[in-house]
Structure formats: C-alpha cells, structure tokens
Amino acid sequence: MLLIQANASPPTKENSWNERMQNIVKADHRNAPANVIWVVQLSDLHISKWIPERSKALRKSLGHALQFIKPALVWITGDLTDAKNKERTATRQDEGEWIDYWDSIQKVADGSGLPIERFFDMRGNHDKYGVPLSSSLDYYSAYSVNGRLNRTNLVQSITVLGGDGRKHLFVGIDDAMQIGLRAPSNVFGHPTDQSLVDIDQQLSQWDYDNSAPVTKIVFGHFPMSFTTSTETGKHPEGIFAKHNISAYVCGHLHTKFGKHLYKHHSHEKCSSVKKSMQRFVPMNCCHFGRLMFPEYKQVGEFWEWEMGDWRVSRMMRIMATDNGHTSFVDVELIPPKEKSDQEFVMPTIILPTFPLNSLTMLQGSVKILPLDRIRVLIFSNTPPIWVKARIIDAKSLALTIVEEISMRLIYYNSGISSVSGPYYYDAIWNSAEYADDSPTRYWLEIILEEKEKGITVSEPRPFSVNGHLGNFRLTWLGYLGMGIRWEKLYPFLLWGMVAFVFSMLIVPKVFNFQLEKANLCEEWVMTVLRPASDFRTMILKLIKVPFWVVFENARNTCIWACSLAYVMCLTFLPWFSGRVLADDFPIGHMSVWGWSVKPSNITSVNQVSGLGVPDIMEIVLPHMYTVLFPLILMVSALSAERAACRHHIGMAGKCHRQSGSKLSQWLLNEYCSLCNRLIRKGLFVGCLAITFLHWRLLSSLTRAYGSTVLVMTPIFAWTVPALIVFSLIQTSPIRPISVAAHEN
C-alpha cells in the first residue's frame, strides 16, 4: 500500500504525471489484502484541563487499540479541545489544553507504532472560540498535527494506493468560522467560495488518470445540516454529489440527537444533453425531457455519516473500503478506571465488508461487486478459533437462521510477532438464493469464538444482493439534527415570528380604530363577552376570543405603544453588546442581522458586520419564542382580564338598577372579591415564568460575553421585566363600564 500526499496546489489536467505522483511514501502494511484498506476516525475529543480523564483515556486506550487495528490513516474531525471554563458557561482558548492535546496525540502515535504523518486533525467550532484573524490565540496552528506538519491549507487530501491499484482519495475540510466568535454564536460550518473551489480541485485530482478507479471519502466536522452556504449561495453538497463521493464523515452533534445519524444525499446533475435542451424543454417539464432523452437525468449520490464523540462516549469508527465500496463500524473504547491496575483490553471488533449494509450503501453499489463471497475484517489481540457467517430471514416476526457458513482466514498481520491485529476472512456462498425485492428481508450476522474472550457476535445488518437500497429512517430527534437545513429554516422561524408578533399589535389596532370611528367598539366587545345562546354562537365566540385578547391590548394605548416599541427595537437595533472575541479585543454588538465587531486592535481595520448568521439562532429563537411572543400574549391577556372584570361589574350594576334586590347589590360590591380575580393571579404566575426565562437567557449571555450585556444594553436587558410591571400596574384598577353600554 502506498500513500500519495496531495500537492499544496491541486493537480490539473495540464500538470505532468511526475508532479501528481511526487511525495510518495510507502506504508508498511505487509501482506495486506490487495482490495481492502481501512482508516480510523475520532471526533470531538474536547480535551479539557478541568476534566483530565479525557486525555488520560486517550493515552491509555487509543494507542493500544491502533496497535491492533493498524489503519492506513487516522482522522480526527474537530473539537480537539474544549475551550470552556470550569462552570462551562464561558468560552476561551487555553494553551494548556492544546499542549495536553499535542502530548496525548504524540503518545498515541508512539504507542500505536504509526508515524505521526498518518494523523490528520481538522478544526471544529470549539477550536475557533474567540480566535480573531491572525491571532496569537490560534493555538491550532502551533499544537495540532496539521499545524506541526505545516499543513496550512483549509482543504487537505491524501491518496492511499491499494495493492490492486485502486486509489482511495481522502479529503479533509476545515470550514470553521474564519473570525471565531465565542459561544453560543459559533455553531455552524462556514465554507467560502474559495474553499469549495479547493474541494472541487482536490476531489478531481485523479479524474484525468484512467489507469485505476478512485474511491473518494471526505472528512469534516460539521454535518450538512449545520453548514451554511457560501457568499454566492453554493453548498458543499453539490460538490460532493458532482464527484460521487462514497461518504462525507463528520462529528459535531455528539449523541444529542441519537447514535445513528446517517443521511443519504441524492442530487440531480445536468448532463450535456440537458444543458443543450434547456431552451427547448423547460425545467417544469423535466419529466417529459427525461422520457425523451434518457441521458437527461444524472444523479450524484453520497452518504453522510455522523459519529459519536470521544468526550463522553469514547467512540471510535473504523471505516473500510473493499473493492472501492465502504463499510464502517463504531466502537466504544472504555479504558480501565483511573485507580485500577488493570490494563486496557482491546475489544473484539467485527466489520463485515461484503455484503454491504442495505440501509447505508449507495444505490448502485452491488451492481459491480463480486457476489460470490462474504468478507469480514476482524480486529482483535488474539486470533479467533473459528468464525462463522449467519444468514437470518426476517420475513416473519419469528427470525429464522437460514444458513451458517464457516469462514476461512485469508490474511492476518504477520509482521510483528508480539502483537496480533487485523484478520481478513471470507466464505463462499450462493448469493442467488437470497435474491429478494425487500432490502431488509435477509440479515448478516458474524459470530466467532476466541480462547480468552469466548463468543462474540456482530450487530446484525440487512443486505440486498439485488442492489435495493433500504429506507433508513431517522428518529424525530435525529431528523432535527440531520434532516433539516437549519440555515434555510432559521430565517423562516425568525421572520415568521416577527411578522406574527407585528400582526398581533398592528391588526387589532387598525380594527379598533375602525370600530371607534363607527362608534361600534363596545357593541363588538359585547358579542364576545355575552353568553352563547346556541352551538353556532359558541363556535363563533371561540374564534373571536383569541382576537379579542390582543384587541384589548390595542385599546390600552400605553401598554400597546411600549410593546410595539420593544418589538421594533429588537427588529432594527442591536440587542446587546459583549466581548464576542478575546477579552482584549473591541466589544461587538449583536442584532438579528448578526454580530458587528472589529476583528483586530489595529486602528486601520474596519468593523465587520453580519457575522454569526445563522449561528445566533441559539440566542434569537429562544428569546423570540419563549420570551417575546409569550410577553405580548401575557400583557394582552392582562388587559383582556381587566376588561372582562369590568363587564361583570357592569352587568351586576345593571341587575341592581333593574331589580333593586340585595343579591344584585351584593354582586355589585363583592363580585370581584368573590372570584379574587383568580385569572389575574394565574397570569401573574405566567409573568413570573416569562421573567425567569428572560433572566436565565440574560445571565447565560452575561457569563458568555461579560457584564456589558447588562450595562450597555438596557433596552434588551430591562424592557421585559419593566413592561410586565407596567402592565400589572395599568391593569390593576377596575372602573365599571357604563350601564348604557350594556343596554345598547
């Protein structure tokens, strides 16, 4: 196996063959299977000086595991350090954490026997917290593997040349925010037009060499759902689909949204016929065009596989390509307890490479694969006594073992006598017996026995020899993490709520103006408050009541004007100011349009605006949906409750004047004392809840960006409690409406 390091400037068609083949380094994989290579991925290490167990576990278990796995490459996809304080409330770069990270990786490399050049570590959002451009706080450049080896480009690539001549191109991308804002305003990947050009060039570097096929895999930190478009609206998905990469492998989400976060991407590409026929076949008639021209449709596809973290789960992924087709398995490396003298025991890892998992394979994968053998990689410190492949029929609820096939060893690592390692097994089978239209009817399970560990069974996975792709379903929580392009959804959620809140204020005010002009205001209110006489009237009343609530707020001019002024301030003015970069850098200002900040202490450097969009949704959406909207609703409800009490008193007064009874007099004097305005007390509890939510958000922002959030931005900080107190005072006294209003 050979490693071919990509050039700093990606090869083009005009480059000579010698330029493209320079920097060849031999990888010592003795007797490796010609058609198989494998790599290891780690993600989200979060090395922290406050939690030293993370780096200790890395040193204690990973190097030992890699000694047995012997991967061609090790990719670490972001969040190398934690960059948070002890309380995890503020973010800052800590040089001690970076030194600890570099020392740990060196010990892992030494313990694994792998040269440090085989390690690639990409940057994540935690590695850019509070890092301005060209700052001394950019410890990644000083203490990462890429930095130490002078891999300065944001796009890195390396090609592994298999024994069968196939090239395996691995590309790593760093799309962390260029001006690194502090959390929680730094959540998304932010590729640029130039970085997409670099990715395109790196992925196409072997397109002009037809001597052998190329398998392409891309590594990065951010999932596509948390990656923004470039300045011109382009997105990495299109580049990946264009090159038909096998997979985009990432981290970032940990296990917050689930452990199996996978997504199949399929993009239609324009063929030359389509491009030439666009003037004759409009896009809205594309179905006709596909019927007329079979080559009209070209589909590029790839899988996106997010993996769990090292921080908590101690997760490691082994990814193998067999004849150019990719499989993977995720493993938890649980080291011994800190005070235990027990050495780390390598778990037995089973990775079937064929047949492919029908839930995570590409659409046309098995059409060009040899179907006559079952193949599996086994990573263990002791050779198995026996290995068997078990075929399970899941057609009925009662799972049936259809066949159990003994597998033969065709490769093992014989280079180092003291350490065992990967074993490659295969078995001949009659795949035609398992042809079925269902991609999930038949399942493969590998079972083996070892002398010390006993029986180990792999996780069953479905397969389809017909090449049918199964329907992998994300859970609803997983869909939130992987299935939604938050960059597209955020503006809809933001401006939809802004428009709705404005409509809650403007529409009732206009309606009230028209009613007052026609002298029909009290009459319309009575249609809402008067008891329903039949079912139809009750339904109409239920429809009117929500509008009447905001209508009463519009009638209270003082509260309405304060509410409108606050909403307009949130829409058009900065919310707050804070130290979004390092402590010795200028203060930034955040609005719904993003952060405005001067990214340097140099006087000549201009202020940059619009940073952190849509990253600021972690601030904006909670305030809009849990503070602003409930606030407008609550002050409206206070006005409506007061109006309802006035109506009750007025009705009691009318009853007294008509009958003169003691009962009516008691109602007039004691009605509101009787009910104690219980609804108002409930609304008061709601006001306290809104104040608490606002204060919790405010306190988190103060811890993240400093006390300037409270001191320099009183409108954002103090308007919510002030408006609530003002509304409570305004709606406290009750004056009965005139009896004439009821009589009308």
Side-chain angles (χ1 to χ4, degrees), residues 315-354:
M315 193 71 71
M316 175 187 69
R317 171 173 290 169
I318 304 176
M319 185 179 304
T321 62
D322 189 339
N323 287 287
H325 298 277
T326 308
S327 301
F328 68 92
V329 62
D330 292 339
V331 185
E332 291 185 15
L333 294 181
I334 306 298
K337 294 182 179 180
E338 183 63 27
K339 296 182 180 180
S340 174
D341 296 332
Q342 181 183 2
E343 293 185 357
F344 171 75
V345 178
M346 170 71 180
T348 299
I349 304 171
I350 303 173
L351 174 54
T353 61
F354 189 80

mmCIF file of all heavy atoms in Angstrom, residues 315-354:
data_model
loop_
_atom_site.group_PDB
_atom_site.id
_atom_site.type_symbol
_atom_site.label_atom_id
_atom_site.label_comp_id
_atom_site.label_asym_id
_atom_site.label_seq_id
_atom_site.Cartn_x
_atom_site.Cartn_y
_atom_site.Cartn_z
ATOM 1 N N MET A 315 -15.954 7.111 21.617
ATOM 2 C CA MET A 315 -16.306 6.449 20.376
ATOM 3 C C MET A 315 -15.161 6.508 19.373
ATOM 4 O O MET A 315 -14.463 7.513 19.246
ATOM 5 C CB MET A 315 -17.559 7.096 19.780
ATOM 6 C CG MET A 315 -18.209 6.306 18.666
ATOM 7 S SD MET A 315 -19.004 4.807 19.267
ATOM 8 C CE MET A 315 -20.397 5.507 20.140
ATOM 9 N N MET A 316 -14.984 5.408 18.648
ATOM 10 C CA MET A 316 -14.020 5.315 17.558
ATOM 11 C C MET A 316 -14.708 4.630 16.390
ATOM 12 O O MET A 316 -15.502 3.700 16.576
ATOM 13 C CB MET A 316 -12.794 4.514 17.994
ATOM 14 C CG MET A 316 -11.778 4.264 16.884
ATOM 15 S SD MET A 316 -10.451 3.130 17.404
ATOM 16 C CE MET A 316 -11.383 1.590 17.532
ATOM 17 N N ARG A 317 -14.408 5.076 15.190
ATOM 18 C CA ARG A 317 -15.000 4.475 13.984
ATOM 19 C C ARG A 317 -13.902 3.874 13.125
ATOM 20 O O ARG A 317 -12.863 4.502 12.887
ATOM 21 C CB ARG A 317 -15.773 5.517 13.184
ATOM 22 C CG ARG A 317 -16.248 5.041 11.807
ATOM 23 C CD ARG A 317 -17.158 6.054 11.146
ATOM 24 N NE ARG A 317 -18.432 6.112 11.848
ATOM 25 C CZ ARG A 317 -19.353 7.054 11.631
ATOM 26 N NH1 ARG A 317 -19.119 8.016 10.761
ATOM 27 N NH2 ARG A 317 -20.488 7.033 12.301
ATOM 28 N N ILE A 318 -14.139 2.657 12.677
ATOM 29 C CA ILE A 318 -13.269 2.025 11.686
ATOM 30 C C ILE A 318 -14.044 1.983 10.375
ATOM 31 O O ILE A 318 -15.164 1.468 10.320
ATOM 32 C CB ILE A 318 -12.854 0.606 12.108
ATOM 33 C CG1 ILE A 318 -12.175 0.629 13.475
ATOM 34 C CG2 ILE A 318 -11.928 -0.004 11.065
ATOM 35 C CD1 ILE A 318 -11.814 -0.744 14.001
ATOM 36 N N MET A 319 -13.441 2.520 9.332
ATOM 37 C CA MET A 319 -14.076 2.579 8.018
ATOM 38 C C MET A 319 -13.192 1.833 7.024
ATOM 39 O O MET A 319 -11.995 2.116 6.907
ATOM 40 C CB MET A 319 -14.259 4.034 7.594
ATOM 41 C CG MET A 319 -15.015 4.222 6.303
ATOM 42 S SD MET A 319 -15.196 5.983 5.920
ATOM 43 C CE MET A 319 -15.999 6.545 7.408
ATOM 44 N N ALA A 320 -13.787 0.882 6.323
ATOM 45 C CA ALA A 320 -13.041 0.060 5.373
ATOM 46 C C ALA A 320 -13.649 0.189 3.984
ATOM 47 O O ALA A 320 -14.868 0.339 3.834
ATOM 48 C CB ALA A 320 -13.050 -1.409 5.806
ATOM 49 N N THR A 321 -12.798 0.154 2.975
ATOM 50 C CA THR A 321 -13.264 0.074 1.593
ATOM 51 C C THR A 321 -12.797 -1.254 1.015
ATOM 52 O O THR A 321 -11.612 -1.581 1.050
ATOM 53 C CB THR A 321 -12.731 1.239 0.745
ATOM 54 O OG1 THR A 321 -11.305 1.177 0.706
ATOM 55 C CG2 THR A 321 -13.161 2.566 1.326
ATOM 56 N N ASP A 322 -13.742 -2.000 0.522
ATOM 57 C CA ASP A 322 -13.492 -3.316 -0.066
ATOM 58 C C ASP A 322 -13.919 -3.241 -1.524
ATOM 59 O O ASP A 322 -15.099 -3.056 -1.824
ATOM 60 C CB ASP A 322 -14.307 -4.384 0.676
ATOM 61 C CG ASP A 322 -13.932 -5.793 0.249
ATOM 62 O OD1 ASP A 322 -13.362 -5.950 -0.848
ATOM 63 O OD2 ASP A 322 -14.224 -6.739 1.010
ATOM 64 N N ASN A 323 -12.936 -3.376 -2.439
ATOM 65 C CA ASN A 323 -13.212 -3.184 -3.862
ATOM 66 C C ASN A 323 -13.841 -1.815 -4.125
ATOM 67 O O ASN A 323 -14.684 -1.663 -5.015
ATOM 68 C CB ASN A 323 -14.117 -4.288 -4.397
ATOM 69 C CG ASN A 323 -13.392 -5.612 -4.542
ATOM 70 O OD1 ASN A 323 -12.569 -5.784 -5.447
ATOM 71 N ND2 ASN A 323 -13.660 -6.531 -3.633
ATOM 72 N N GLY A 324 -13.473 -0.832 -3.319
ATOM 73 C CA GLY A 324 -13.941 0.523 -3.531
ATOM 74 C C GLY A 324 -15.250 0.861 -2.876
ATOM 75 O O GLY A 324 -15.735 1.985 -3.023
ATOM 76 N N HIS A 325 -15.855 -0.064 -2.137
ATOM 77 C CA HIS A 325 -17.142 0.174 -1.501
ATOM 78 C C HIS A 325 -16.973 0.174 0.010
ATOM 79 O O HIS A 325 -16.280 -0.655 0.577
ATOM 80 C CB HIS A 325 -18.157 -0.868 -1.950
ATOM 81 C CG HIS A 325 -18.403 -0.817 -3.434
ATOM 82 N ND1 HIS A 325 -19.277 0.064 -4.004
ATOM 83 C CD2 HIS A 325 -17.842 -1.518 -4.456
ATOM 84 C CE1 HIS A 325 -19.278 -0.108 -5.323
ATOM 85 N NE2 HIS A 325 -18.416 -1.058 -5.613
ATOM 86 N N THR A 326 -17.656 1.118 0.649
ATOM 87 C CA THR A 326 -17.323 1.498 2.021
ATOM 88 C C THR A 326 -18.290 0.915 3.032
ATOM 89 O O THR A 326 -19.506 0.940 2.845
ATOM 90 C CB THR A 326 -17.324 3.039 2.145
ATOM 91 O OG1 THR A 326 -16.486 3.587 1.124
ATOM 92 C CG2 THR A 326 -16.818 3.476 3.498
ATOM 93 N N SER A 327 -17.716 0.408 4.128
ATOM 94 C CA SER A 327 -18.474 -0.035 5.295
ATOM 95 C C SER A 327 -17.801 0.540 6.529
ATOM 96 O O SER A 327 -16.632 0.954 6.487
ATOM 97 C CB SER A 327 -18.510 -1.563 5.389
ATOM 98 O OG SER A 327 -19.087 -2.138 4.232
ATOM 99 N N PHE A 328 -18.524 0.547 7.632
ATOM 100 C CA PHE A 328 -17.932 1.084 8.857
ATOM 101 C C PHE A 328 -18.584 0.446 10.071
ATOM 102 O O PHE A 328 -19.673 -0.136 9.998
ATOM 103 C CB PHE A 328 -18.086 2.605 8.919
ATOM 104 C CG PHE A 328 -19.503 3.077 9.098
ATOM 105 C CD1 PHE A 328 -20.020 3.315 10.364
ATOM 106 C CD2 PHE A 328 -20.333 3.267 8.005
ATOM 107 C CE1 PHE A 328 -21.325 3.744 10.541
ATOM 108 C CE2 PHE A 328 -21.636 3.698 8.167
ATOM 109 C CZ PHE A 328 -22.134 3.934 9.435
ATOM 110 N N VAL A 329 -17.888 0.568 11.188
ATOM 111 C CA VAL A 329 -18.418 0.121 12.464
ATOM 112 C C VAL A 329 -17.943 1.094 13.536
ATOM 113 O O VAL A 329 -16.804 1.575 13.491
ATOM 114 C CB VAL A 329 -17.967 -1.324 12.791
ATOM 115 C CG1 VAL A 329 -16.454 -1.414 12.915
ATOM 116 C CG2 VAL A 329 -18.641 -1.837 14.059
ATOM 117 N N ASP A 330 -18.821 1.442 14.459
ATOM 118 C CA ASP A 330 -18.492 2.328 15.575
ATOM 119 C C ASP A 330 -18.294 1.502 16.840
ATOM 120 O O ASP A 330 -19.093 0.604 17.136
ATOM 121 C CB ASP A 330 -19.600 3.355 15.798
ATOM 122 C CG ASP A 330 -19.692 4.353 14.663
ATOM 123 O OD1 ASP A 330 -18.697 4.505 13.930
ATOM 124 O OD2 ASP A 330 -20.757 4.984 14.494
ATOM 125 N N VAL A 331 -17.249 1.834 17.577
ATOM 126 C CA VAL A 331 -16.865 1.054 18.752
ATOM 127 C C VAL A 331 -16.609 1.997 19.918
ATOM 128 O O VAL A 331 -16.022 3.076 19.738
ATOM 129 C CB VAL A 331 -15.591 0.220 18.478
ATOM 130 C CG1 VAL A 331 -15.276 -0.670 19.664
ATOM 131 C CG2 VAL A 331 -15.752 -0.602 17.214
ATOM 132 N N GLU A 332 -17.038 1.607 21.107
ATOM 133 C CA GLU A 332 -16.721 2.350 22.322
ATOM 134 C C GLU A 332 -15.471 1.756 22.954
ATOM 135 O O GLU A 332 -15.430 0.559 23.254
ATOM 136 C CB GLU A 332 -17.889 2.298 23.305
ATOM 137 C CG GLU A 332 -19.111 3.068 22.851
ATOM 138 C CD GLU A 332 -20.194 3.100 23.908
ATOM 139 O OE1 GLU A 332 -19.893 2.770 25.069
ATOM 140 O OE2 GLU A 332 -21.334 3.443 23.573
ATOM 141 N N LEU A 333 -14.465 2.598 23.153
ATOM 142 C CA LEU A 333 -13.229 2.169 23.809
ATOM 143 C C LEU A 333 -13.296 2.601 25.266
ATOM 144 O O LEU A 333 -13.061 3.763 25.596
ATOM 145 C CB LEU A 333 -12.012 2.790 23.123
ATOM 146 C CG LEU A 333 -11.719 2.347 21.688
ATOM 147 C CD1 LEU A 333 -10.470 3.043 21.184
ATOM 148 C CD2 LEU A 333 -11.562 0.840 21.599
ATOM 149 N N ILE A 334 -13.659 1.711 26.120
ATOM 150 C CA ILE A 334 -13.797 2.019 27.541
ATOM 151 C C ILE A 334 -12.508 1.620 28.251
ATOM 152 O O ILE A 334 -12.210 0.434 28.417
ATOM 153 C CB ILE A 334 -14.993 1.278 28.168
ATOM 154 C CG1 ILE A 334 -16.261 1.568 27.359
ATOM 155 C CG2 ILE A 334 -15.155 1.682 29.612
ATOM 156 C CD1 ILE A 334 -16.662 3.029 27.338
ATOM 157 N N PRO A 335 -11.692 2.606 28.680
ATOM 158 C CA PRO A 335 -10.449 2.268 29.372
ATOM 159 C C PRO A 335 -10.722 1.843 30.808
ATOM 160 O O PRO A 335 -11.806 2.095 31.352
ATOM 161 C CB PRO A 335 -9.662 3.578 29.318
ATOM 162 C CG PRO A 335 -10.723 4.635 29.293
ATOM 163 C CD PRO A 335 -11.889 4.048 28.531
ATOM 164 N N PRO A 336 -9.766 1.205 31.462
ATOM 165 C CA PRO A 336 -9.932 0.854 32.880
ATOM 166 C C PRO A 336 -10.060 2.113 33.735
ATOM 167 O O PRO A 336 -9.677 3.208 33.331
ATOM 168 C CB PRO A 336 -8.640 0.082 33.210
ATOM 169 C CG PRO A 336 -8.044 -0.286 31.901
ATOM 170 C CD PRO A 336 -8.491 0.740 30.914
ATOM 171 N N LYS A 337 -10.599 1.943 34.916
ATOM 172 C CA LYS A 337 -10.732 3.074 35.830
ATOM 173 C C LYS A 337 -9.355 3.610 36.198
ATOM 174 O O LYS A 337 -8.361 2.887 36.187
ATOM 175 C CB LYS A 337 -11.503 2.656 37.079
ATOM 176 C CG LYS A 337 -12.952 2.291 36.801
ATOM 177 C CD LYS A 337 -13.685 1.931 38.080
ATOM 178 C CE LYS A 337 -15.142 1.596 37.800
ATOM 179 N NZ LYS A 337 -15.886 1.235 39.035
ATOM 180 N N GLU A 338 -9.328 4.886 36.560
ATOM 181 C CA GLU A 338 -8.064 5.585 36.780
ATOM 182 C C GLU A 338 -7.205 4.897 37.843
ATOM 183 O O GLU A 338 -6.003 4.747 37.678
ATOM 184 C CB GLU A 338 -8.350 7.044 37.174
ATOM 185 C CG GLU A 338 -7.115 7.889 37.349
ATOM 186 C CD GLU A 338 -6.330 8.026 36.059
ATOM 187 O OE1 GLU A 338 -6.933 7.940 34.975
ATOM 188 O OE2 GLU A 338 -5.102 8.210 36.152
ATOM 189 N N LYS A 339 -7.814 4.462 38.930
ATOM 190 C CA LYS A 339 -7.049 3.877 40.028
ATOM 191 C C LYS A 339 -6.847 2.375 39.865
ATOM 192 O O LYS A 339 -6.243 1.737 40.707
ATOM 193 C CB LYS A 339 -7.757 4.166 41.353
ATOM 194 C CG LYS A 339 -7.830 5.654 41.686
ATOM 195 C CD LYS A 339 -8.505 5.887 43.029
ATOM 196 C CE LYS A 339 -8.575 7.369 43.367
ATOM 197 N NZ LYS A 339 -9.226 7.614 44.682
ATOM 198 N N SER A 340 -7.365 1.827 38.785
ATOM 199 C CA SER A 340 -7.240 0.391 38.573
ATOM 200 C C SER A 340 -5.891 0.069 37.942
ATOM 201 O O SER A 340 -5.378 0.801 37.100
ATOM 202 C CB SER A 340 -8.377 -0.096 37.667
ATOM 203 O OG SER A 340 -8.183 -1.451 37.342
ATOM 204 N N ASP A 341 -5.297 -1.044 38.370
ATOM 205 C CA ASP A 341 -4.040 -1.507 37.783
ATOM 206 C C ASP A 341 -4.268 -2.345 36.538
ATOM 207 O O ASP A 341 -3.317 -2.777 35.883
ATOM 208 C CB ASP A 341 -3.254 -2.332 38.814
ATOM 209 C CG ASP A 341 -2.831 -1.479 40.006
ATOM 210 O OD1 ASP A 341 -2.654 -0.254 39.811
ATOM 211 O OD2 ASP A 341 -2.700 -2.034 41.114
ATOM 212 N N GLN A 342 -5.513 -2.582 36.199
ATOM 213 C CA GLN A 342 -5.851 -3.402 35.050
ATOM 214 C C GLN A 342 -5.475 -2.693 33.754
ATOM 215 O O GLN A 342 -5.705 -1.507 33.579
ATOM 216 C CB GLN A 342 -7.356 -3.710 35.052
ATOM 217 C CG GLN A 342 -7.807 -4.595 33.906
ATOM 218 C CD GLN A 342 -9.311 -4.791 33.927
ATOM 219 O OE1 GLN A 342 -9.986 -4.229 34.770
ATOM 220 N NE2 GLN A 342 -9.816 -5.585 33.010
ATOM 221 N N GLU A 343 -4.877 -3.428 32.840
ATOM 222 C CA GLU A 343 -4.508 -2.869 31.552
ATOM 223 C C GLU A 343 -5.716 -2.843 30.623
ATOM 224 O O GLU A 343 -6.683 -3.580 30.803
ATOM 225 C CB GLU A 343 -3.380 -3.699 30.915
ATOM 226 C CG GLU A 343 -2.063 -3.622 31.676
ATOM 227 C CD GLU A 343 -0.963 -4.355 30.944
ATOM 228 O OE1 GLU A 343 -1.266 -4.950 29.878
ATOM 229 O OE2 GLU A 343 0.176 -4.356 31.427
ATOM 230 N N PHE A 344 -5.627 -1.955 29.632
ATOM 231 C CA PHE A 344 -6.700 -1.853 28.655
ATOM 232 C C PHE A 344 -6.775 -3.134 27.835
ATOM 233 O O PHE A 344 -5.767 -3.645 27.347
ATOM 234 C CB PHE A 344 -6.452 -0.656 27.736
ATOM 235 C CG PHE A 344 -7.384 -0.602 26.561
ATOM 236 C CD1 PHE A 344 -8.700 -0.198 26.724
ATOM 237 C CD2 PHE A 344 -6.951 -0.962 25.295
ATOM 238 C CE1 PHE A 344 -9.561 -0.142 25.648
ATOM 239 C CE2 PHE A 344 -7.797 -0.905 24.219
ATOM 240 C CZ PHE A 344 -9.111 -0.492 24.400
ATOM 241 N N VAL A 345 -7.973 -3.675 27.702
ATOM 242 C CA VAL A 345 -8.197 -4.890 26.924
ATOM 243 C C VAL A 345 -8.879 -4.499 25.629
ATOM 244 O O VAL A 345 -9.955 -3.893 25.636
ATOM 245 C CB VAL A 345 -9.059 -5.906 27.700
ATOM 246 C CG1 VAL A 345 -9.323 -7.134 26.845
ATOM 247 C CG2 VAL A 345 -8.370 -6.295 29.002
ATOM 248 N N MET A 346 -8.243 -4.834 24.529
ATOM 249 C CA MET A 346 -8.786 -4.493 23.222
ATOM 250 C C MET A 346 -10.074 -5.268 22.976
ATOM 251 O O MET A 346 -10.091 -6.496 23.027
ATOM 252 C CB MET A 346 -7.751 -4.839 22.144
ATOM 253 C CG MET A 346 -8.256 -4.756 20.724
ATOM 254 S SD MET A 346 -8.528 -3.058 20.210
ATOM 255 C CE MET A 346 -9.116 -3.345 18.536
ATOM 256 N N PRO A 347 -11.206 -4.571 22.722
ATOM 257 C CA PRO A 347 -12.430 -5.300 22.396
ATOM 258 C C PRO A 347 -12.330 -5.924 21.007
ATOM 259 O O PRO A 347 -11.614 -5.421 20.136
ATOM 260 C CB PRO A 347 -13.504 -4.209 22.436
ATOM 261 C CG PRO A 347 -12.775 -2.959 22.104
ATOM 262 C CD PRO A 347 -11.402 -3.115 22.699
ATOM 263 N N THR A 348 -13.011 -7.002 20.820
ATOM 264 C CA THR A 348 -13.047 -7.633 19.507
ATOM 265 C C THR A 348 -14.004 -6.855 18.606
ATOM 266 O O THR A 348 -15.178 -6.664 18.939
ATOM 267 C CB THR A 348 -13.502 -9.096 19.618
ATOM 268 O OG1 THR A 348 -12.570 -9.809 20.445
ATOM 269 C CG2 THR A 348 -13.571 -9.744 18.248
ATOM 270 N N ILE A 349 -13.492 -6.401 17.469
ATOM 271 C CA ILE A 349 -14.260 -5.574 16.544
ATOM 272 C C ILE A 349 -14.493 -6.361 15.263
ATOM 273 O O ILE A 349 -13.543 -6.869 14.656
ATOM 274 C CB ILE A 349 -13.527 -4.257 16.240
ATOM 275 C CG1 ILE A 349 -13.229 -3.510 17.546
ATOM 276 C CG2 ILE A 349 -14.339 -3.391 15.295
ATOM 277 C CD1 ILE A 349 -12.320 -2.318 17.366
ATOM 278 N N ILE A 350 -15.732 -6.434 14.862
ATOM 279 C CA ILE A 350 -16.114 -7.179 13.658
ATOM 280 C C ILE A 350 -16.677 -6.196 12.645
ATOM 281 O O ILE A 350 -17.642 -5.477 12.931
ATOM 282 C CB ILE A 350 -17.147 -8.268 13.976
ATOM 283 C CG1 ILE A 350 -16.607 -9.231 15.036
ATOM 284 C CG2 ILE A 350 -17.545 -9.024 12.720
ATOM 285 C CD1 ILE A 350 -17.625 -10.249 15.528
ATOM 286 N N LEU A 351 -16.089 -6.156 11.458
ATOM 287 C CA LEU A 351 -16.533 -5.249 10.403
ATOM 288 C C LEU A 351 -16.769 -6.030 9.109
ATOM 289 O O LEU A 351 -15.835 -6.286 8.345
ATOM 290 C CB LEU A 351 -15.494 -4.142 10.181
ATOM 291 C CG LEU A 351 -15.755 -3.179 9.009
ATOM 292 C CD1 LEU A 351 -17.136 -2.553 9.103
ATOM 293 C CD2 LEU A 351 -14.672 -2.114 8.943
ATOM 294 N N PRO A 352 -18.010 -6.427 8.838
ATOM 295 C CA PRO A 352 -18.304 -7.063 7.539
ATOM 296 C C PRO A 352 -18.126 -6.051 6.409
ATOM 297 O O PRO A 352 -18.622 -4.926 6.486
ATOM 298 C CB PRO A 352 -19.769 -7.492 7.678
ATOM 299 C CG PRO A 352 -20.053 -7.482 9.143
ATOM 300 C CD PRO A 352 -19.187 -6.395 9.704
ATOM 301 N N THR A 353 -17.411 -6.462 5.368
ATOM 302 C CA THR A 353 -17.198 -5.572 4.224
ATOM 303 C C THR A 353 -18.028 -5.969 3.014
ATOM 304 O O THR A 353 -18.174 -5.173 2.089
ATOM 305 C CB THR A 353 -15.712 -5.555 3.839
ATOM 306 O OG1 THR A 353 -15.303 -6.877 3.457
ATOM 307 C CG2 THR A 353 -14.861 -5.078 5.010
ATOM 308 N N PHE A 354 -18.542 -7.203 3.004
ATOM 309 C CA PHE A 354 -19.497 -7.621 1.981
ATOM 310 C C PHE A 354 -20.258 -8.848 2.482
ATOM 311 O O PHE A 354 -19.654 -9.704 3.117
ATOM 312 C CB PHE A 354 -18.797 -7.947 0.649
ATOM 313 C CG PHE A 354 -19.796 -8.155 -0.456
ATOM 314 C CD1 PHE A 354 -20.361 -7.064 -1.093
ATOM 315 C CD2 PHE A 354 -20.208 -9.423 -0.807
ATOM 316 C CE1 PHE A 354 -21.318 -7.251 -2.077
ATOM 317 C CE2 PHE A 354 -21.160 -9.619 -1.783
ATOM 318 C CZ PHE A 354 -21.716 -8.523 -2.425
#
